[in-house]
Amino acid sequence: MTTRTAADALSEMIVERQDFQDAYCNLERAVAETFLSGDTDSLIDNVEAKHLLRYADVLSHSSDPRHRELAYTTIALLREYDAEVGLEPELSGRVLAVAEAVLVQLGNFPGIRTLHQGVGSRYALPLSRGTLRIAKEILQRTNRGDAVLTDAQYSITEKMRGEDYFSFSGPTSLGKSFIIKDALYDIVRRDELNNHCVVVLVPTKALITQTATDLRNLLAGVPEVNVATYPSLPKLLRQKYRRTIFVLTPERLLRYLANPVREIDYLVVDEAQKVIAKNDARSSLYYHAIVEVTRRFATRLVFASPSIENPELFLELFGKATNGALTVRERTVAQHRYFVDLVDHKQYYFSGLDQKPQELEAQPSQTDVVDLVLSRSGARKAIIYINGSMKSAEFALRLAERRDTVADANVGDLIKHVREYVHKDYFLSSTLSRGVAFHHGKMPQEVRERVEQAFADPESPIQFVVCTSTLLEGVNLPAKNIFVLSDKHGNRSFNKIDFENLAGRAGRLTFDFSGNMVCIREEANRWSDTTQALIPRTEPARAESFLVNPANNKKKEYTDIARILRGENLPGTPSADQQRSVEQYASILTLHQIDNQQTPLRSYFLDKVKDGRDLLKKAASSVEVPTDVLRRSPNIRPKYQDRVWGELRAESAGPLVADDADLTDIDTYLKALRRLSNLYDWRTTEVSGQDPLMPKNADSEAWDRRLYYWALLMRSWVRGDSISRVISGSIAYHAERGWIRYRDYSQRDSLVEERFNRNSAKHINLIIEWTLRDIEGGLRFRIIGYLQNFSDISVLALGRDQSGINVATLVEYGTTDQRAIQLQEIGFGRTVATELLAEHLAAVQFSEFDELEGFDHQAVLESTSLSDEARAEIENIMVKDVQGNNAK
């Protein structure tokens, strides 16, 4: 039992005192009125401010996270008030002094650095506090020795030490990625990792590059380690580096497990809430991938998730001991939350004491959401969340129209890159010229990264970025202000975990003491009472999964799986994601039966479904395709894989694409797609959900026309065409058709069909968005899964020599050149790999089988013709700082 200290008792008394509550609420209201209305009548007198400083100092000594957070928030509010309204000089100096003392007590060293970036305090720290600071700076120093952990971060690293299975959660501003990177820095310097590896599991491809780049920078002084982003490890990397960190999505992890070249000693699952996300088909792939890792190897597990009450759930999910679990509630940046209702002309702030909405007397002075965003942001950087990639571009245009042109050489270079890389009329090039960007997961990786870099640069005039749910996937784009324009995430309303993950981006560690999150209602059908209830700060939400301790009467998930195993339809009208999720769990459960694995999924199914045992035996015995293939593709129902297996085992069947096929001929791809469409029954599996591959209820002509579109896209991508050329091909395709059809929900009849106009910026940008979406979401996510599954089955049914070309590999890397594939597997992007082969071939050595054997990166770096993009990638991937080596 935790010992209650005198500071705990005093702090409890303080928060109950009326004078503290009155002074704190007055301060909150003053800051809220100043932020939302530009002025305040709630002035703070010197006596109130001094009392609050004294109370904050006492509260910072408490062991209760609520008291410690109140201490920090009080200091942050006083700093905000001083900046916007002003305190007397003597009192302002005292705020700085007490702020430093409080931050030392809280162990918030990023906050101390932020404090020292401003005006220094003329007051010296008390001797005891100065001694405490020195002690913490020594004890809580990171493994690399270049930073100091906060108290909350240190408690996590100490708890993690020695645990084979560990799960922690905390607010987004806690710095979970920083904690993970610090732990990895320690792990990879150990000799026991020689010829073994660590896998960091991330939700999306968008996060792979950011994570890998950060890790490479971190490990620049550790020459034994490389960071890989593909599920293969070329011979050159195996020979040069004894230890590897793979940064993979669940899909890529399953591919790695098909041929693991190094045993997985550690699996780190970032954004772990994705493993249990409801109505998300990929959550089952997360679960399956982790189960497969623990089945194959004696792997240690680390889970990191946003603020939830019960992080031990992730350990229970995989049958591990739960003693290595920790929830941290403290934030390193204070967050002020607001709700501005432009429909009912009201505005509210949410108190840090009771989290109740407090209405301001003044109505919003702006009636337009763009005016509101511009006026409340001032000169500070801001993120605007909006639901939908095209909507993000449209709002960025509205915002840009109200701003002056920015004159900046770096922004000019970025605009030039966007026009060359994507299209000269891409909306992004227009908005960037006014200091506004948009950002979503369907954008080309190279463009997305440059937008992130420009926005993160404090000196860059890119002040606004309009973002979709990529923020929820862990992409690191914090800002002083976040404006939330929608209460939706995809087709559903926010849940508490996702909303808190988004809200946590408000406020930049080491730049801000506090951040502002402003939820804006500009449409009557947005922000219902249910979603408004998400805005105030609450205790961490309790995570749930039907795979962990389901209630006696909770059977639906298991009865739905039973229906799929019986070949029945699910009741009601499930969404495409719900349907796929149940089907995938049915496939995974069948695998567990075949392997006789004692997993929670199998145990609870047998407990909840009366004829479950017979159902599983029947399902397992009916599977004809080899189990190893099913294991790699649980997202494709066994009956379709059996159909492919049966056809390929027939004497007349041949590979999907023969070794001597003409890869420049559109018919090569069209024939392959027709075959996949029939074998995998795309008329059932790929006509529903968001952005389906194929049109529903289409006649044979319309169906074949859509397949022809995918064939055109696949040929263009596989032959190595640039993004801009692929987009030009899509524009030509629509010009040939003569018509364009799209949704415009501002019109009464939302489905619009009109003549395609090459001079229409809207038409061009619709096609750009569709093409980018189709490359990443259609071709390189959905279609590639079928291509890879067909190839896996072909190898086993026909033999490797007779299985033909693995088109999935060509689609993954966007080239038919095996040398370019090898360079991409090293870590280079598609564009840079092409540049290296075209301009610097003499520095790259390949075997007669096109296997990479050597790369003289120093010679390439000395070239004056090397592009900035290639230089940055080579330095990040290949250059090691031997001078800074701390390797053991």
Side-chain angles (χ1 to χ4, degrees):
M1 188 173 72
T2 304
T3 304
R4 185 175 170 83
T5 67
D8 295 340
L10 281 172
S11 297
E12 200 62 52
M13 292 170 61
I14 287 171
V15 297
E16 296 296 328
R17 287 178 64 102
Q18 193 63 46
D19 66 328
F20 170 75
Q21 294 176 11
D22 290 346
Y24 187 89
C25 290
N26 192 35
L27 177 60
E28 274 189 320
R29 179 170 286 272
V31 170
E33 287 175 344
T34 304
F35 177 70
L36 290 177
S37 303
D39 196 13
T40 181
D41 295 326
S42 305
L43 299 178
I44 306 299
D45 62 40
N46 289 358
V47 174
E48 276 186 323
K50 290 176 181 177
H51 285 173
L52 285 171
L53 287 172
R54 188 171 71 251
Y55 290 146
D57 192 23
V58 175
L59 289 166
S60 70
H61 285 75
S62 174
S63 61
D64 189 323
R66 296 171 303 160
H67 299 154
R68 292 165 64 86
E69 188 164 339
L70 266 178
Y72 180 78
T73 305
T74 301
I75 293 299
L77 285 167
L78 284 167
R79 291 274 296 160
E80 198 83 20
Y81 181 90
D82 191 19
E84 299 300 326
V85 180
L87 295 168
E88 292 181 3
E90 189 275 336
L91 185 56
S92 180
R94 183 173 291 188
V95 168
L96 283 172
V98 176
E100 183 172 5
V102 167
L103 291 170
V104 169
Q105 189 65 41
L106 298 176
N108 190 333
F109 291 94
I112 295 172
R113 289 199 298 275
T114 304
L115 190 72
H116 288 167
Q117 287 171 4
V119 180
S121 171
R122 61 189 178 89
Y123 295 94
L125 278 174
L127 180 60
S128 61
R129 207 68 61 90
T131 303
L132 177 65
R133 174 176 179 173
I134 293 170
K136 286 188 175 183
E137 286 179 335
I138 295 172
L139 185 64
Q140 296 176 198
R141 190 157 292 277
T142 59
N143 286 305
R144 194 181 183 193
D146 59 344
V148 181
L149 299 166
T150 68
D151 284 8
Q153 292 169 343
Y154 181 67
S155 68
I156 291 170
T157 59
E158 284 298 287
K159 177 75 172 174
M160 189 189 308
R161 205 181 304 277
E163 295 285 356
D164 288 341
Y165 310 108
F166 186 71
S167 178
F168 73 97
S169 77
T172 304
S173 62
L174 171 68
K176 293 187 292 295
S177 296
F178 181 76
I179 295 168
I180 289 171
K181 285 186 286 187
D182 184 57
L184 289 175
Y185 185 82
D186 180 47
I187 290 167
V188 299
R189 291 183 304 143
R190 302 173 188 168
D191 289 339
E192 65 193 56
L193 199 68
N194 285 347
N195 299 316
H196 289 232
C197 72
V198 175
V199 172
V200 178
L201 197 60
V202 297
T204 62
K205 290 180 182 177
L207 199 54
I208 284 178
T209 303
Q210 182 184 92
T211 304
T213 299
D214 289 348
L215 287 172
R216 286 175 184 137
N217 290 332
L218 175 77
L219 301 171
V222 187
E224 298 92 344
V225 183
N226 82 292
V227 179
T229 58
Y230 283 98
S232 56
L233 200 62
K235 181 181 177 181
L236 178 67
L237 293 183
R238 295 197 304 272
Q239 292 176 339
K240 186 172 182 179
Y241 302 106
R242 292 181 293 168
R243 309 161 198 167
T244 303
I245 296 179
F246 287 97
V247 184
L248 305 172
T249 58
E251 292 83 358
R252 287 188 178 180
L253 176 54
L254 289 174
R255 294 309 309 166
Y256 177 78
L257 292 173
N259 183 29
V261 293
R262 287 180 173 171
E263 291 188 16
I264 302 173
D265 279 10
Y266 291 85
L267 176 62
V268 180
V269 185
D270 198 8
E271 302 295 331
Q273 74 279 6
K274 297 292 181 183
V275 182
I276 57 170
K278 294 181 180 178
N279 304 325
D280 183 346
R282 293 185 73 236
S283 65
S284 54
L285 292 181
Y286 259 96
Y287 171 74
H288 174 60
I290 298 169
V291 167
E292 285 297 296
V293 170
T294 57
R295 184 182 70 86
R296 296 281 300 274
F297 307 109
T299 304
R300 296 167 181 158
L301 302 175
V302 177
F303 297 92
S305 56
S307 201
I308 62 171
E309 178 188 329
N310 54 326
E312 66 275 6
L313 175 136
F314 298 107
L315 301 176
E316 295 178 85
L317 197 61
F318 301 100
K320 306 302 180 185
T322 59
N323 50 298
L326 182 65
T327 297
V328 170
R329 289 169 167 78
E330 283 187 42
R331 297 172 185 266
T332 51
V333 175
Q335 286 167 352
H336 312 313
R337 304 191 179 199
Y338 305 100
F339 178 58
V340 179
D341 191 335
L342 296 178
V343 177
D344 292 339
H345 309 292
K346 296 179 180 181
Q347 48 189 357
Y348 305 84
Y349 69 94
F350 292 82
S351 172
L353 290 179
D354 57 16
Q355 300 303 323
K356 292 180 180 178
Q358 306 292 326
E359 184 178 353
L360 298 184
E361 291 182 9
Q363 292 185 348
S365 54
Q366 298 82 23
T367 57
D368 176 73
V369 66
V370 175
D371 285 339
L372 179 63
V373 169
L374 289 172
S375 64
R376 293 309 92 210
S377 296
R380 307 300 290 270
K381 300 222 175 194
I383 291 170
I384 299 95
Y385 170 80
I386 200 160
N387 188 33
S389 57
M390 198 62 195
K391 288 181 180 179
S392 71
E394 291 168 352
F395 189 83
L397 284 169
R398 289 174 60 190
L399 203 57
E401 287 172 0
R402 307 287 295 278
R403 288 173 50 83
D404 295 330
T405 302
V406 299
D408 183 85
N410 291 330
V411 172
D413 290 342
L414 178 55
I415 291 170
K416 180 183 177 184
H417 175 76
V418 168
R419 287 175 173 163
E420 292 175 352
Y421 194 87
V422 182
H423 193 276
K424 64 182 180 63
D425 296 324
Y426 192 26
F427 282 150
L428 182 61
S429 65
S430 174
T431 64
L432 285 170
S433 67
R434 305 293 181 99
V436 181
F438 54 88
H439 181 288
H440 55 77
K442 296 165 188 168
M443 294 172 71
Q445 176 180 306
E446 290 87 344
V447 174
R448 202 168 51 230
E449 289 171 14
R450 291 197 177 200
V451 166
E452 292 166 12
Q453 292 166 5
F455 183 72
D457 181 0
E459 304 302 320
S460 171
I462 303 300
Q463 184 186 353
F464 299 94
V465 61
V466 187
C467 227
T468 63
S469 58
T470 48
L471 274 180
L472 300 176
E473 313 294 353
V475 172
N476 188 24
L477 279 179
K480 171 70 174 179
N481 302 309
I482 290 187
F483 298 90
V484 185
L485 273 54
S486 174
D487 57 353
K488 298 282 187 182
H489 173 207
N491 294 325
R492 60 178 175 79
S493 297
F494 274 122
N495 60 40
K496 186 62 177 175
I497 294 175
D498 281 346
F499 185 81
E500 286 296 323
N501 201 14
L502 176 64
R505 310 288 170 182
R508 299 171 301 168
L509 197 62
T510 73
F511 286 97
D512 306 305
F513 276 103
S514 61
N516 302 307
M517 189 196 67
V518 188
C519 299
I520 303 173
R521 180 174 177 243
E522 62 168 340
E523 298 175 18
N525 63 343
R526 288 283 184 256
W527 294 104
S528 64
D529 291 344
T530 302
T531 49
Q532 283 185 45
L534 297 174
I535 300 174
R537 279 281 317 282
T538 58
E539 287 298 300
R542 186 167 186 82
E544 295 181 347
S545 170
F546 76 95
L547 294 169
V548 176
N549 299 326
N552 290 332
N553 60 349
K554 191 166 185 177
K555 297 183 178 181
K556 183 181 184 307
E557 291 86 351
Y558 296 100
T559 55
D560 282 350
I561 292 172
R563 286 189 174 95
I564 296 298
L565 292 176
R566 294 190 192 101
E568 301 171 359
N569 294 326
L570 295 182
T573 55
S575 68
D577 261 1
Q578 288 172 326
Q579 179 77 30
R580 284 181 181 141
S581 182
V582 178
E583 289 175 354
Q584 287 167 191
Y585 272 117
S587 297
I588 294 164
L589 180 58
T590 302
L591 276 169
H592 293 179
Q593 175 69 21
I594 293 170
D595 294 334
N596 196 27
Q597 284 182 267
Q598 301 303 315
T599 62
L601 174 62
R602 186 176 175 217
S603 300
Y604 285 124
F605 180 82
L606 294 175
D607 182 55
K608 301 288 184 182
V609 178
K610 284 185 177 180
D611 60 341
R613 196 170 302 278
D614 292 336
L615 266 178
L616 283 182
K617 287 180 180 178
K618 183 178 179 181
S621 63
S622 67
V623 173
E624 297 177 9
V625 69
T627 308
D628 281 347
V629 174
L630 184 60
R631 204 183 304 285
R632 298 170 204 168
S633 302
N635 53 325
I636 299 174
R637 295 186 67 175
K639 68 177 182 180
Y640 299 128
Q641 299 190 49
D642 285 346
R643 183 184 297 175
V644 176
W645 175 257
E647 179 182 287
L648 288 173
R649 296 289 286 176
E651 291 183 6
S652 59
L656 188 68
V657 176
D659 288 322
D660 59 351
D662 183 358
L663 294 177
T664 65
D665 187 352
I666 191 71
D667 281 343
T668 299
Y669 303 96
L670 184 57
K671 289 175 182 176
L673 288 168
R674 284 171 178 158
R675 191 171 174 188
L676 293 178
S677 167
N678 291 327
L679 285 169
Y680 293 102
D681 193 13
W682 284 3
R683 284 192 178 273
T684 300
T685 59
E686 294 296 343
V687 294
S688 59
Q690 191 172 13
D691 304 326
L693 284 181
M694 302 300 292
K696 197 169 188 176
N697 301 322
D699 59 27
S700 57
E701 183 180 350
W703 186 267
D704 213 51
R705 188 165 58 242
R706 185 61 176 172
L707 289 176
Y708 184 78
Y709 165 79
W710 286 116
L712 279 172
L713 192 66
M714 190 186 300
R715 181 185 66 170
S716 186
W717 181 252
V718 162
R719 73 185 177 191
D721 287 358
S722 65
I723 292 284
S724 59
R725 186 172 177 183
V726 176
I727 289 170
S728 296
S730 292
I731 293 171
Y733 171 80
H734 282 84
E736 184 179 339
R737 288 192 62 193
W739 291 87
I740 187 170
R741 179 185 293 183
Y742 61 93
R743 293 279 181 184
D744 184 349
Y745 292 100
S746 65
Q747 299 190 28
R748 187 171 183 179
D749 185 1
S750 64
L751 184 60
V752 178
E753 186 171 10
E754 56 194 21
R755 286 279 183 188
F756 175 69
N757 181 2
R758 276 184 178 269
N759 297 317
S760 166
K762 181 173 184 177
H763 285 185
I764 294 297
N765 275 271
L766 281 169
I767 292 172
I768 291 172
E769 290 294 324
W770 294 341
T771 305
L772 295 175
R773 174 201 69 195
D774 290 342
I775 291 172
E776 285 302 317
L779 187 60
R780 300 185 70 223
F781 184 70
R782 296 297 303 164
I783 291 177
I784 197 175
Y786 293 108
L787 290 167
Q788 187 62 63
N789 180 251
F790 194 101
S791 176
D792 289 342
I793 297 174
S794 298
V795 169
L796 293 177
L798 304 176
R800 189 170 297 278
D801 291 341
Q802 302 298 317
S803 61
I805 297 172
N806 184 357
V807 185
T809 300
L810 311 186
V811 170
E812 176 68 64
Y813 297 98
T815 181
T816 58
D817 189 336
Q818 291 299 318
R819 300 171 305 166
I821 290 173
Q822 284 275 300
L823 286 170
Q824 288 188 59
E825 288 181 341
I826 292 291
F828 296 115
R830 180 172 179 256
T831 305
V832 171
T834 302
E835 178 183 343
L836 291 174
L837 291 175
E839 306 292 336
H840 308 281
L841 186 57
V844 190
Q845 292 83 47
F846 295 93
S847 72
E848 60 177 311
F849 303 107
D850 289 333
E851 187 171 26
L852 184 63
E853 293 186 332
F855 179 37
D856 187 355
H857 64 272
Q858 292 293 353
V860 179
L861 288 172
E862 290 171 4
S863 170
T864 56
S865 64
L866 188 67
S867 69
D868 291 341
E869 184 180 352
R871 186 175 301 278
E873 285 194 18
I874 292 170
E875 289 176 346
N876 182 250
I877 295 168
M878 302 301 299
V879 177
K880 287 287 188 178
D881 178 17
V882 180
Q883 299 295 324
N885 175 28
N886 294 315
K888 291 179 181 177

